[in-house]
């Protein structure tokens, strides 16, 4: 038999001794290009950033001048955030690397005269490697044998057409097999291979920012710019009014820590990393951290029928003769065709299993050539000396008026997969999509695939997450429609086939992709166009695939999800790999992604409101030429328990912020409203305390410190959905009310207990100034709660401001 004869031909092989000698000479593929943030990257981004360098320099100056307390308190939150964030990222990277190792590619190599699976990093120079469809080449080499072998080198050359390879042709790492099989000998491994020498290849690490990270980066960039402008002004002002150098530096420290939301950056990275670990523990490997937020942003989920709605366990139900040949002749020709195929996909394996007991004892003629199956052609052919045997889609192999074309369509409507088997005396023309020569139909092969038992619950869970579902398949339209309906999908009133879509103009095509939920007989290019059209229409598209034909669409999608049993090239472009090869774990991953994004938004509100009102307060007081309202020790302590700790609890998922559905209204409006009200009320408190105490700066700063702690409590309440105007929310969230209140009380009592440490002058009832300060704090905080509740409901000026910006864009 053909396959047996090929196997019997002598194939070179390396011995164990050969392999060890090459490893000792450094001729192995044990090379790892950057595929994620390294430990050095994590350390550098957390420790050696501009904010830490500027603040660290000022704290060194403070220490040099003998003010150790300021250095400890001002640096405490920054150091702890940096340290614990870095440690958490280290742990998360280690866990993710361990999970990723489980899905690492193996290579089929010839060793000691046996074919064995070898981890890609253990491949050595001169290794004999087997190639089959879906394999990504991990080393460069020379083709020794080729059986209809086609390699896609688009990642290296940009040329999208697959290239046929013959013996002695060069095969480059980074290319992948689209059809046929072959054997190659490795010539370049490790750092010297093509894929590792080209820095532009996708394997090279590139940090991709999520939309939320971009928003945070903008906030940080603006803050750093303001820091670079205002901090020098603080030094100039201090010099002009003849302030002590230590006092000037302390004021600069306060301004810097109040302005730059460094804690927000750390919490965002921490939240995404924790989310990635949580999701990966559910058999859903996150290969890129930005995929966590992409899960939250997804609005459309596209997927194939096979392996997602069905179990991808094909079985032949029956073979229906439709020509002059009887069943025995059909089985004989099927046997000849299968034995000559370079590679057996799932369909070929199912047919081979069905006819296994009927295989005739006949000589199998050796093929002259093979035209392998691909998703665009939708048929394959084995060219023999006497005839050619074809297997493929009925609409490509049977004329529309053929008496059994209607039979194939009826069977497809029952959810069955139907293939046509035919023969021709001439060699087929590969340039034609459908057969345009004298063809003799032989049989219809009827196959079935069981629907996944859990798919209806899975699809319902997707719909509950607000996702629009679209199935995009290469199978017959009626088959796809029937299976999608049986699986519980909303198939809509209109389904589209590939030829219909290809005949449409751009406008109609875009409308069809939005309207339709079922797409069939779709080739890879059209699948990519569907994804691109959905994105152009404002959708955030997640694409599930597993094969070579899915790669263009996966690369075009916002979020690429691939089955672990999928081809290696599809896993290479994936953001997420489903380790258990089932979509049933995805709904929880989508939910976790949304929870992670909510966490980031919640902490963004906490940190940015604090930064906004503190900087605005500094500016208001600067206009009135009044002293700085707070010291580094006071601001560090007052915000540690009321802002930093709640933000940390939110980051770890122990507290859940109120649901945020619209970023502008729920985040930006909140920051502006809370920040402005807080700054104004603290300015009023400063003036009352300053004037009422005859310019007692320490008492005034103590009043502001208490107000900062109380306002942190109010911010935490608001972020958690606790509203003065809705008393029931205090009961619903009583644990959060209790915890945050205890933290705030502890923060204030600590300052009363250790006034010298906190540079605190406790307001007391036994003096006129102290009484005035206490009454002012109580009255203004009560008024602040009322104003915040009212301001978050009635945002007239803010709405007018956004309308102005919208009008300007128009």
């Amino acid at each position: 038999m053909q396959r047996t004869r090929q196997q019997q031909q002598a194939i070179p092989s390396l011995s164990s001794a050969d392999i060890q000698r090459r490893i000792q000479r450094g001729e192995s593929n044990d090379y790892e290009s950057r595929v994620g943030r390294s430990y050095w990257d994590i350390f550098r981004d957390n420790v050696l950033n501009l904010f830490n360098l500027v603040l660290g320099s000022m704290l060194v100056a403070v220490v040099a001048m003998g003010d150790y307390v300021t250095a400890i308190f001002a640096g405490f939150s920054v150091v702890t955030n940096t340290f614990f964030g870095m440690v958490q990222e280290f742990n998360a990277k280690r866990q993710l690397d361990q999970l990723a190792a489980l899905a690492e590619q193996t290579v089929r190599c010839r060793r000691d005269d046996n074919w064995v699976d070898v981890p890609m990093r253990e491949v050595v120079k001169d290794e004999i490697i087997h190639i089959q469809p879906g394999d990504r080449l991990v080393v460069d080499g020379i083709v020794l044998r080729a059986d209809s072998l086609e390699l896609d080198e688009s990642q290296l050359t940009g040329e999208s057409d697959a290239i046929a390879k013959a013996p002695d042709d060069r095969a480059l790492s980074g290319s992948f097999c689209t059809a046929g099989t072959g054997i190659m000998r490795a010539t370049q491994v490790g750092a010297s291979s093509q894929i590792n020498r080209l820095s532009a290849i996708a394997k090279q690490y590139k940090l991709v920012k999520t939309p939320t990270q971009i928003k945070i980066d903008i906030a940080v960039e603006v803050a750093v710019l303001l820091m670079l402008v205002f901090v020098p002004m603080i030094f100039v002002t201090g010099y002009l009014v003849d302030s002590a150098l230590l006092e000037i530096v302390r004021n600069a420290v306060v301004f810097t820590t109040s302005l730059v939301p460094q804690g927000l950056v750390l919490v965002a990275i921490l939240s995404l990393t924790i989310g990635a670990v949580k999701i990966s523990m559910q058999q859903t490997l996150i290969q890129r951290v930005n995929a966590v937020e992409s899960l939250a942003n997804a609005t459309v989920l596209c997927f194939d029928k096979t392996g997602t709605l069905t179990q991808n366990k094909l079985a032949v139900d029956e073979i229906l003769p439709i020509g002059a040949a009887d069943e025995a002749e059909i089985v004989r020709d099927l046997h000849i065709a299968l034995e000559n195929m370079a590679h057996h996909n799932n369909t070929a394996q199912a047919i081979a299993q069905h006819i296994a007991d009927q295989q005739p004892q006949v000589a199998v003629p050796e093929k002259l050539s093979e035209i392998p199956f691909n998703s665009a052609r939708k048929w394959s052919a084995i060219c023999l000396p006497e005839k050619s045997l074809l297997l493929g889609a009925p609409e490509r192999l049977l004329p529309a008026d053929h008496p059994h074309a209607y039979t194939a369509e009826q069977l497809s409507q029952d959810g069955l997969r139907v293939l046509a088997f035919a023969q021709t005396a001439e060699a087929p023309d590969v340039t034609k999509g459908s057969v345009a020569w004298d063809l003799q139909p032989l049989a219809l092969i009827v196959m079935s695939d069981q629907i996944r038992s859990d798919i209806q619950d899975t699809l319902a869970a997707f719909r509950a997450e607000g996702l629009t579902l679209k199935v995009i398949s290469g199978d017959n339209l009626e088959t796809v429609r029937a299976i999608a309906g049986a699986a519980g999908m909303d198939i809509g009133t209109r389904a589209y086939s590939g030829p219909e879509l290809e005949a449409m103009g751009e406008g109609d095509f875009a409308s069809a992709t939005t309207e339709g939920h079922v797409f069939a007989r779709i080739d890879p290019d059209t699948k990519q166009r569907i994804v691109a059209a959905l994105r152009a229409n404002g959708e955030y598209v997640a694409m599930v695939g597993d094969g070579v034909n899915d790669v263009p669409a996966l690369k075009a999608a916002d979020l690429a999800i691939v089955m672990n049993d999928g081809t290696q090239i599809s896993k290479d472009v994936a953001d997420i790999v489903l380790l258990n090869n089932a979509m049933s774990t995805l709904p929880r991953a989508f939910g976790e992604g949304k929870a992670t994004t909510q966490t980031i938004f919640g902490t963004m509100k906490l940190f940015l409101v604090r930064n906004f009102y503190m900087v605005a307060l500094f500016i208001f007081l600067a206009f009135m030429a009044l002293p700085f309202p707070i010291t580094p020790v006071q601001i560090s302590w007052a915000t540690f328990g009321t802002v930093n700790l709640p933000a940390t609890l939110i980051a770890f998922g122990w507290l859940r912020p109120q649901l945020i559905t619209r970023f502008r209204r729920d985040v930006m409006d909140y920051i502006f409203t809370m920040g402005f009200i807080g700054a104004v009320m603290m300015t009023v408190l400063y003036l009352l305390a300053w004037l009422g105490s005859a310019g007692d700066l320490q008492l005034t700063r103590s009043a502001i410190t208490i107000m900062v702690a109380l306002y942190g409590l109010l911010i935490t309440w608001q972020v958690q959905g606790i509203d003065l105007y809705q008393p029931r929310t205090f009961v619903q969230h009583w644990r959060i009310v209790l915890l945050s209140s205890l933290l705030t009380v502890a923060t204030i009592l600590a300052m009363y207990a250790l006034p010298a440490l906190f540079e605190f002058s406790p307001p007391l009832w036994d003096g006129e100034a102290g009484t005035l300060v206490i009454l002012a704090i109580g009255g203004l905080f009560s008024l602040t709660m009322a104003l915040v509740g009212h301001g978050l409901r009635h945002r007239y000026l803010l709405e007018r401001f956004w309308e102005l910006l919208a009008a300007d864009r128009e």
Side-chain angles (χ1 to χ4, degrees):
M1 293 188 297
Q2 176 72 11
R3 292 168 66 89
T4 302
R5 284 199 299 269
Q6 289 180 356
Q7 292 170 358
Q8 289 175 343
Q9 294 173 358
I11 299 175
S13 174
L14 291 181
S15 67
S16 298
D18 294 332
I19 294 167
Q20 287 303 315
R21 282 194 294 269
R22 284 164 174 76
I23 293 175
Q24 291 171 3
R25 293 198 300 262
E27 296 176 342
S28 74
N29 201 44
D30 190 12
Y31 173 85
E32 183 178 3
S33 63
R34 295 179 64 203
V35 294
R37 296 175 78 211
S38 66
Y39 288 107
W40 164 249
D41 291 331
I42 295 172
F43 175 82
R44 182 194 60 208
D45 293 345
N46 280 275
V47 177
L48 303 179
N49 54 65
L50 179 61
F51 169 74
N52 283 356
L53 293 176
V54 172
L55 181 61
S57 300
M58 289 188 287
L59 292 179
V60 169
V62 169
V63 170
M65 288 181 278
D67 189 355
Y68 304 110
V69 175
T70 295
I72 291 172
F73 275 89
F76 177 75
S77 61
V78 175
V79 171
T80 53
N81 278 338
T82 300
F83 177 75
F84 288 115
M86 184 172 59
V87 169
Q88 182 64 33
E89 282 197 76
F90 283 162
N91 290 334
K93 174 178 171 55
R94 179 177 53 79
Q95 294 179 52
L96 291 175
D97 286 349
Q98 290 173 349
L99 288 169
L102 298 176
E104 183 179 4
Q105 179 181 355
T106 58
V107 182
R108 193 76 171 165
C109 298
R110 185 80 171 173
R111 292 185 172 184
D112 294 321
D113 295 323
N114 292 305
W115 288 108
V116 294
D117 291 325
V118 177
M120 58 180 287
R121 296 181 189 177
E122 297 179 14
V123 174
V124 298
K125 187 177 181 180
D126 296 322
E127 194 87 71
I128 305 303
I129 300 172
H130 184 264
I131 309 170
Q132 64 182 20
D135 284 352
R136 177 175 61 84
L137 274 58
V138 299
V139 295
D140 298 349
I142 298 296
V143 176
L144 301 180
R145 297 185 184 178
D147 192 348
S148 305
L149 178 64
E150 296 180 5
L151 297 182
D152 185 324
E153 298 179 350
S154 59
Q155 291 192 54
L156 304 170
T157 65
E159 176 58 51
S160 59
D161 292 335
I163 299 173
K165 293 291 182 178
D168 298 326
D169 284 349
R170 188 183 180 197
L172 299 176
S173 55
S175 58
F176 63 95
C177 179
T178 59
T181 61
I183 295 174
M184 65 175 280
R185 177 174 60 84
T187 57
Q188 300 289 339
V189 297
S192 61
S193 66
Q194 182 79 359
I195 192 70
N196 290 326
R197 284 190 283 112
L198 295 178
S199 61
I201 298 303
K203 186 179 178 182
Q204 182 77 17
Y205 174 71
K206 180 181 178 182
L207 178 61
V208 180
K209 296 284 188 179
T210 68
T212 302
Q213 284 179 310
I214 292 173
K215 294 181 176 72
I216 294 174
D217 283 350
I218 293 172
V220 172
E221 288 167 7
V222 171
V224 169
L225 177 62
L226 293 176
M227 178 186 72
L228 296 176
V229 171
F230 283 110
V231 168
M233 291 183 181
I234 293 173
F235 280 90
V236 172
T237 302
Y239 173 77
L240 293 175
V241 300
D242 200 25
S243 297
L245 180 59
L246 177 59
E247 184 65 21
I248 297 173
V249 176
R250 281 158 53 97
N251 291 342
V253 169
V254 171
F255 186 83
T256 302
T257 54
S258 300
L259 178 64
V260 181
Q262 183 65 11
L264 173 59
V265 178
L266 295 173
V267 168
I269 296 174
L270 186 62
S271 299
L272 288 172
T273 307
I274 292 174
V277 173
K278 286 183 178 178
I279 293 171
S280 294
M281 292 303 179
Q282 301 168 8
Q283 296 295 302
T284 307
L285 175 62
I286 302 295
Q287 297 201 134
R288 295 175 180 85
V289 173
N290 69 314
V292 176
E293 188 182 334
S294 294
L295 286 165
N297 294 331
T299 58
V300 173
L301 180 64
C302 301
F303 48 87
D304 195 358
K305 166 188 70 66
T306 305
T308 52
L309 299 180
T310 65
Q311 298 178 21
N312 197 18
K313 295 179 180 178
L314 289 172
V316 176
D317 290 351
E318 60 179 328
I319 297 176
L320 300 176
I322 59 173
D326 59 24
E327 185 173 352
E329 293 174 314
I330 294 169
V331 169
R332 180 200 64 200
D333 284 346
L334 278 172
H335 173 67
I336 292 172
L338 292 171
E339 286 297 308
N340 275 285
M341 283 184 181
H343 172 71
H344 279 184
N345 58 19
N346 289 343
T347 301
Q349 291 175 14
I351 297 173
Q353 184 176 357
H354 181 76
I355 66 172
D357 296 333
Q358 309 173 50
Q359 291 182 5
Q361 299 300 316
V362 296
V364 177
E366 185 172 352
K367 67 185 177 185
L368 300 176
S369 63
E370 177 181 352
I371 302 173
F373 177 88
N374 66 34
S375 299
R377 194 162 41 236
K378 300 196 182 303
W379 55 265
S380 64
I382 299 296
C383 302
L384 304 169
E386 302 295 331
K387 60 184 176 180
S388 294
L389 299 173
L390 297 91
L391 185 67
E395 58 266 34
R396 296 295 173 93
L397 299 183
L398 300 181
D401 58 353
H402 191 279
H404 286 90
Y406 177 74
T407 303
E409 182 178 349
Q410 290 297 111
L411 290 168
S412 297
Q413 290 178 359
D414 294 333
L416 298 170
R417 184 178 184 184
V418 183
L419 297 177
F421 184 50
Q423 67 179 18
T424 180
E426 301 177 11
D429 184 354
V430 296
T431 64
K432 298 181 182 296
S434 57
V435 178
W437 52 83
D438 184 20
L439 190 72
Q440 300 176 29
L442 298 176
L444 292 178
I445 302 173
V446 184
M447 312 181 75
S448 62
D449 192 358
Q450 296 297 314
I451 294 176
R452 287 184 178 271
S453 59
D454 59 354
I455 193 61
Q456 292 193 0
D457 293 337
T458 301
L459 297 182
F462 284 141
R463 287 190 290 268
E465 293 291 340
L467 290 164
T468 300
L469 306 179
K470 297 182 184 290
V471 58
I472 307 174
S473 175
D475 281 347
N476 177 275
L477 179 61
E478 297 303 329
T479 301
V480 179
R481 195 205 302 264
I483 290 179
M489 269 193 66
D490 176 13
I491 61 176
T493 58
R494 187 77 168 86
Y496 295 91
S497 67
E500 287 180 280
L501 293 174
E502 291 163 11
M504 295 179 180
E506 290 299 324
D508 291 338
F509 185 93
S511 299
T513 58
T514 301
E515 174 189 355
H517 295 278
V518 174
F519 303 91
R521 287 296 184 222
I522 304 296
D523 62 34
D525 290 338
T526 305
K527 187 179 294 188
Q528 182 184 31
R529 286 185 62 200
I530 292 172
V531 172
L534 289 169
R535 293 186 66 201
N537 197 40
E539 302 289 357
Y540 201 96
V541 181
M543 176 73 199
V544 181
D546 60 0
V548 172
N549 62 313
D550 295 319
V551 170
L554 289 167
K555 295 174 72 173
D558 295 291
L559 178 65
I561 305 170
V562 172
M563 301 292 181
N564 193 39
D565 284 348
T567 58
Q568 187 60 43
I569 185 61
S570 64
K571 290 194 286 186
D572 285 344
V573 302
D575 300 303
I576 295 175
V577 176
L578 301 180
L579 297 178
N580 63 347
N581 299 298
M583 290 203 302
S584 56
T585 58
L586 266 183
R588 284 192 296 171
F590 278 104
E592 189 62 47
K594 290 184 176 180
T596 299
T597 303
Q598 292 293 316
T599 294
I600 297 174
F601 285 160
T603 54
M604 183 182 291
K605 291 164 71 173
L606 279 171
F607 283 110
L608 292 186
V609 166
R610 183 197 66 180
N611 292 105
F612 189 105
Y613 78 72
M614 288 305 302
V615 172
L617 173 62
F618 297 154
I619 294 173
F620 291 164
L621 297 180
F623 270 107
M624 294 181 281
L626 292 170
F628 249 68
I630 199 166
T631 69
V633 173
Q634 290 169 342
I635 191 172
S636 298
W637 179 250
T639 57
F640 175 74
T642 59
V643 174
N644 292 8
L645 275 181
T648 303
L649 295 177
I650 290 174
F652 280 96
W654 297 331
L655 292 182
R656 291 290 185 185
Q658 185 181 27
L659 181 64
I660 296 168
T661 57
R662 291 174 293 177
F663 181 80
R664 199 221 75 191
R665 179 175 178 83
D666 295 341
V667 178
M668 296 304 297
D669 284 8
Y670 176 87
I671 292 169
F672 290 148
T673 302
M674 291 286 291
F676 181 76
I677 292 174
V680 170
M681 300 308 289
M682 288 187 196
T683 301
V684 173
L685 175 62
Y686 186 103
L687 292 173
L688 289 175
W690 176 261
L691 297 174
S693 64
D696 186 340
L697 182 57
Q698 185 159 314
L699 180 61
T700 302
R701 286 176 169 174
S702 300
I704 292 297
T705 304
I706 294 173
M707 189 66 167
V708 167
L710 292 173
Y711 204 59
L713 170 68
L714 182 58
I715 295 170
T716 301
W717 283 356
Q718 287 288 336
V719 168
Q720 297 299 130
I722 301 168
D723 189 352
L724 178 66
Y725 280 60
Q726 296 180 356
R728 69 178 184 277
T729 58
F730 285 83
V731 178
Q732 293 172 348
H733 304 287
W734 67 269
R735 292 182 180 84
I736 297 171
V737 172
L738 179 61
L739 175 62
S740 56
S741 298
L742 289 175
L743 287 173
T744 304
V745 170
T747 298
I748 296 173
L749 288 180
M751 292 187 290
Y752 271 83
L754 302 168
L757 176 64
F758 295 106
E759 304 169 339
F760 190 74
S761 181
L764 300 172
W765 292 101
D766 58 359
E768 183 178 342
T771 302
L772 175 63
V773 167
I774 293 173
L775 292 175
I777 292 173
L780 288 174
F781 183 65
S782 300
L783 178 60
T784 300
M785 288 194 293
L787 289 175
V788 165
H790 182 81
L792 291 176
R793 281 173 174 75
H794 307 285
R795 312 179 188 191
Y796 174 75
L797 290 178
L798 272 176
E799 293 293 345
R800 297 288 288 173
F801 173 73
W802 295 121
E803 287 175 10
L804 176 64
L805 292 182
D808 184 60
R809 285 196 297 269
E810 294 173 359

